[in-house]
Amino acid sequence: EYGYAMAAPHTLTVWEAQFGDFNNGAQIIIDQYISSAEDKWNRMNGIVMLLPHGYEGQGAEHSSARLERFLNLCAEENIQVVNCTTPASYFHALRRQLQRPFRKPLIVFTPKSLLRHPRVISTLEDLSGGKFEEVIDDNKVTVKSVSRVVLCSGKVYYDLLEQQEKEKADDVALVRLEQFYPLPYKQLEALRKKYTHATEWVWVQEEPENMGAWNFVDRKIEGVLKTLDIKAKRPDYVGREEAASPATGLAKVHQQQQEALVRAALAG
């Protein structure tokens, strides 16, 4: 597929793993070509990697597409890493891939459960007239009443949304980061300026603390704070504890962990 994308740059060439974890076998190609070929050999490539990623209780081999590995490879605007939460976001990310006058590898994390989630829908207008949004803000809250901003990405947003509505937590804003890299600095800066009344900022993820996007997001947002000269503490972490395995093999334990992190995310 990398060769196809090189030979036919105007064609959308996609490599999909049945589960995101299966990219482990392709790690040599990812390191040798996808993340570094432009810098080493001045060769641009627009290959798309679809990597199902989401903690759905199916065990270690069917949960994590190793987001942290790809974020470790991000530098010098070499690749694009997105985690789409709506059909429109997914569509426009792929459309943008061909519409741009240049080619960069696109890594798409696509939670399988969102394919059939009743709340994951987009209108025809979203598809025909919208665009890819690197950050999706919470448009249902009153800005002045927000005391806690929850930053997240991927399918965990819908678990948080359900809990937010259940608790009627009107003082909590749920913000989705749809693109990790290049990190949308301007949008994050705008959020900091918008939610000036918020005293708590947290990053919520499903992955264990030593995996996922936490280490990447933590240091990047610290840079945003320095740029804005804002005397606010860095986001707090909410998620699973550090672990050797990407996920538990017990569905009951998985559910307990998931419920605990969702409650903690909204607790003031």
Side-chain angles (χ1 to χ4, degrees), residues 7-32:
H10 299 294
T11 300
L12 185 66
T13 304
V14 179
W15 182 85
E16 182 179 18
Q18 182 182 7
F19 284 94
D21 314 65
F22 295 179
N23 78 73
N24 290 334
Q27 197 64 48
I28 294 173
I29 302 299
I30 295 167
D31 291 344
Q32 189 73 8

Short mmCIF file of all heavy atoms in Angstrom, two decimals, residues 7-32:
data_model
loop_
_atom_site.label_atom_id
_atom_site.label_comp_id
_atom_site.label_asym_id
_atom_site.label_seq_id
_atom_site.Cartn_x
_atom_site.Cartn_y
_atom_site.Cartn_z
N ALA A 7 3.14 5.52 -6.07
CA ALA A 7 2.99 5.50 -7.52
C ALA A 7 1.75 6.25 -7.99
O ALA A 7 1.70 6.75 -9.12
CB ALA A 7 2.94 4.05 -8.02
N ALA A 8 0.72 6.32 -7.14
CA ALA A 8 -0.54 6.98 -7.52
C ALA A 8 -0.94 7.98 -6.44
O ALA A 8 -1.85 7.73 -5.64
CB ALA A 8 -1.64 5.94 -7.72
N PRO A 9 -0.27 9.12 -6.38
CA PRO A 9 -0.52 10.09 -5.30
C PRO A 9 -1.90 10.73 -5.32
O PRO A 9 -2.32 11.32 -4.33
CB PRO A 9 0.57 11.14 -5.52
CG PRO A 9 0.92 11.03 -6.96
CD PRO A 9 0.77 9.59 -7.30
N HIS A 10 -2.64 10.62 -6.42
CA HIS A 10 -3.98 11.21 -6.49
C HIS A 10 -5.08 10.19 -6.17
O HIS A 10 -6.26 10.48 -6.33
CB HIS A 10 -4.21 11.82 -7.88
CG HIS A 10 -3.25 12.91 -8.21
ND1 HIS A 10 -3.23 14.12 -7.54
CD2 HIS A 10 -2.25 12.98 -9.13
CE1 HIS A 10 -2.27 14.89 -8.03
NE2 HIS A 10 -1.66 14.23 -8.99
N THR A 11 -4.66 9.02 -5.73
CA THR A 11 -5.59 7.97 -5.33
C THR A 11 -5.57 7.82 -3.82
O THR A 11 -4.51 7.88 -3.19
CB THR A 11 -5.20 6.63 -5.98
OG1 THR A 11 -5.22 6.76 -7.39
CG2 THR A 11 -6.15 5.52 -5.56
N LEU A 12 -6.75 7.64 -3.23
CA LEU A 12 -6.82 7.42 -1.79
C LEU A 12 -6.45 5.97 -1.50
O LEU A 12 -7.23 5.05 -1.76
CB LEU A 12 -8.23 7.73 -1.27
CG LEU A 12 -8.41 7.66 0.25
CD1 LEU A 12 -7.60 8.75 0.95
CD2 LEU A 12 -9.87 7.77 0.63
N THR A 13 -5.26 5.75 -0.97
CA THR A 13 -4.76 4.42 -0.69
C THR A 13 -4.82 4.18 0.81
O THR A 13 -4.23 4.92 1.59
CB THR A 13 -3.32 4.25 -1.18
OG1 THR A 13 -3.26 4.55 -2.58
CG2 THR A 13 -2.83 2.82 -0.95
N VAL A 14 -5.54 3.12 1.21
CA VAL A 14 -5.81 2.88 2.62
C VAL A 14 -5.34 1.50 3.04
O VAL A 14 -5.59 0.51 2.34
CB VAL A 14 -7.32 3.01 2.92
CG1 VAL A 14 -7.61 2.74 4.39
CG2 VAL A 14 -7.83 4.40 2.53
N TRP A 15 -4.64 1.44 4.16
CA TRP A 15 -4.28 0.16 4.79
C TRP A 15 -5.02 0.09 6.11
O TRP A 15 -4.88 0.98 6.96
CB TRP A 15 -2.77 0.10 5.05
CG TRP A 15 -2.31 -1.21 5.65
CD1 TRP A 15 -2.00 -2.35 5.00
CD2 TRP A 15 -2.07 -1.47 7.05
NE1 TRP A 15 -1.60 -3.32 5.88
CE2 TRP A 15 -1.64 -2.81 7.15
CE3 TRP A 15 -2.20 -0.71 8.22
CZ2 TRP A 15 -1.32 -3.42 8.36
CZ3 TRP A 15 -1.89 -1.31 9.44
CH2 TRP A 15 -1.45 -2.65 9.51
N GLU A 16 -5.82 -0.94 6.28
CA GLU A 16 -6.63 -1.07 7.49
C GLU A 16 -6.27 -2.31 8.26
O GLU A 16 -6.14 -3.40 7.69
CB GLU A 16 -8.12 -1.10 7.15
CG GLU A 16 -9.00 -1.19 8.38
CD GLU A 16 -10.49 -1.20 8.07
OE1 GLU A 16 -10.85 -1.48 6.91
OE2 GLU A 16 -11.29 -0.93 8.97
N ALA A 17 -6.11 -2.16 9.56
CA ALA A 17 -5.92 -3.30 10.44
C ALA A 17 -7.27 -3.73 10.98
O ALA A 17 -8.10 -2.89 11.31
CB ALA A 17 -4.99 -2.93 11.60
N GLN A 18 -7.50 -5.03 11.04
CA GLN A 18 -8.78 -5.51 11.58
C GLN A 18 -8.96 -4.99 13.00
O GLN A 18 -10.03 -4.55 13.38
CB GLN A 18 -8.82 -7.04 11.57
CG GLN A 18 -10.14 -7.59 12.08
CD GLN A 18 -10.16 -9.10 12.12
OE1 GLN A 18 -9.14 -9.74 11.90
NE2 GLN A 18 -11.31 -9.68 12.40
N PHE A 19 -7.91 -5.06 13.78
CA PHE A 19 -7.82 -4.37 15.06
C PHE A 19 -6.53 -3.56 15.03
O PHE A 19 -5.53 -3.98 14.44
CB PHE A 19 -7.81 -5.35 16.24
CG PHE A 19 -9.16 -5.93 16.54
CD1 PHE A 19 -9.53 -7.14 15.99
CD2 PHE A 19 -10.06 -5.27 17.36
CE1 PHE A 19 -10.78 -7.68 16.25
CE2 PHE A 19 -11.31 -5.80 17.63
CZ PHE A 19 -11.67 -7.02 17.08
N GLY A 20 -6.56 -2.40 15.66
CA GLY A 20 -5.42 -1.51 15.58
C GLY A 20 -4.12 -2.12 16.06
O GLY A 20 -3.04 -1.79 15.58
N ASP A 21 -4.23 -3.04 17.03
CA ASP A 21 -3.04 -3.68 17.57
C ASP A 21 -2.25 -4.43 16.50
O ASP A 21 -1.06 -4.69 16.66
CB ASP A 21 -3.43 -4.67 18.68
CG ASP A 21 -4.42 -4.10 19.66
OD1 ASP A 21 -5.55 -3.82 19.22
OD2 ASP A 21 -4.07 -3.92 20.83
N PHE A 22 -2.91 -4.79 15.42
CA PHE A 22 -2.26 -5.59 14.40
C PHE A 22 -1.21 -4.81 13.62
O PHE A 22 -0.51 -5.37 12.78
CB PHE A 22 -3.30 -6.18 13.43
CG PHE A 22 -4.25 -7.16 14.09
CD1 PHE A 22 -5.27 -7.76 13.36
CD2 PHE A 22 -4.14 -7.48 15.43
CE1 PHE A 22 -6.15 -8.65 13.97
CE2 PHE A 22 -5.02 -8.36 16.04
CZ PHE A 22 -6.03 -8.95 15.30
N ASN A 23 -1.10 -3.51 13.87
CA ASN A 23 -0.03 -2.76 13.22
C ASN A 23 1.33 -3.10 13.82
O ASN A 23 2.36 -2.68 13.30
CB ASN A 23 -0.29 -1.25 13.28
CG ASN A 23 0.05 -0.65 14.64
OD1 ASN A 23 1.21 -0.51 15.00
ND2 ASN A 23 -0.97 -0.26 15.39
N ASN A 24 1.34 -3.87 14.91
CA ASN A 24 2.61 -4.27 15.51
C ASN A 24 3.51 -4.94 14.48
O ASN A 24 4.72 -4.72 14.47
CB ASN A 24 2.37 -5.24 16.68
CG ASN A 24 1.74 -4.55 17.89
OD1 ASN A 24 1.91 -3.35 18.07
ND2 ASN A 24 1.02 -5.30 18.69
N GLY A 25 2.93 -5.76 13.62
CA GLY A 25 3.72 -6.46 12.61
C GLY A 25 4.23 -5.56 11.51
O GLY A 25 5.11 -5.94 10.74
N ALA A 26 3.68 -4.34 11.43
CA ALA A 26 4.10 -3.40 10.40
C ALA A 26 5.03 -2.33 10.95
O ALA A 26 5.34 -1.36 10.26
CB ALA A 26 2.87 -2.74 9.78
N GLN A 27 5.50 -2.52 12.18
CA GLN A 27 6.29 -1.47 12.84
C GLN A 27 7.55 -1.10 12.07
O GLN A 27 7.96 0.07 12.04
CB GLN A 27 6.65 -1.92 14.25
CG GLN A 27 7.10 -0.78 15.17
CD GLN A 27 5.99 0.23 15.43
OE1 GLN A 27 4.88 -0.15 15.76
NE2 GLN A 27 6.30 1.51 15.28
N ILE A 28 8.17 -2.07 11.43
CA ILE A 28 9.40 -1.79 10.67
C ILE A 28 9.10 -0.83 9.52
O ILE A 28 9.83 0.14 9.29
CB ILE A 28 10.01 -3.09 10.12
CG1 ILE A 28 10.50 -3.97 11.28
CG2 ILE A 28 11.18 -2.79 9.17
CD1 ILE A 28 10.96 -5.33 10.87
N ILE A 29 8.01 -1.07 8.80
CA ILE A 29 7.63 -0.20 7.69
C ILE A 29 7.26 1.19 8.20
O ILE A 29 7.60 2.21 7.59
CB ILE A 29 6.46 -0.81 6.89
CG1 ILE A 29 6.85 -2.18 6.36
CG2 ILE A 29 6.03 0.10 5.76
CD1 ILE A 29 8.04 -2.17 5.42
N ILE A 30 6.54 1.23 9.32
CA ILE A 30 6.14 2.52 9.90
C ILE A 30 7.36 3.36 10.26
O ILE A 30 7.44 4.55 9.95
CB ILE A 30 5.25 2.29 11.14
CG1 ILE A 30 3.93 1.63 10.74
CG2 ILE A 30 4.98 3.61 11.86
CD1 ILE A 30 3.12 1.09 11.90
N ASP A 31 8.34 2.72 10.91
CA ASP A 31 9.54 3.45 11.33
C ASP A 31 10.44 3.81 10.15
O ASP A 31 10.99 4.91 10.09
CB ASP A 31 10.35 2.61 12.33
CG ASP A 31 9.63 2.48 13.67
OD1 ASP A 31 8.69 3.24 13.92
OD2 ASP A 31 10.01 1.59 14.45
N GLN A 32 10.60 2.88 9.23
CA GLN A 32 11.56 3.06 8.15
C GLN A 32 11.06 3.97 7.04
O GLN A 32 11.85 4.69 6.42
CB GLN A 32 11.92 1.68 7.55
CG GLN A 32 13.07 1.69 6.57
CD GLN A 32 14.42 1.87 7.25
OE1 GLN A 32 14.49 1.83 8.47
NE2 GLN A 32 15.47 2.09 6.48
#
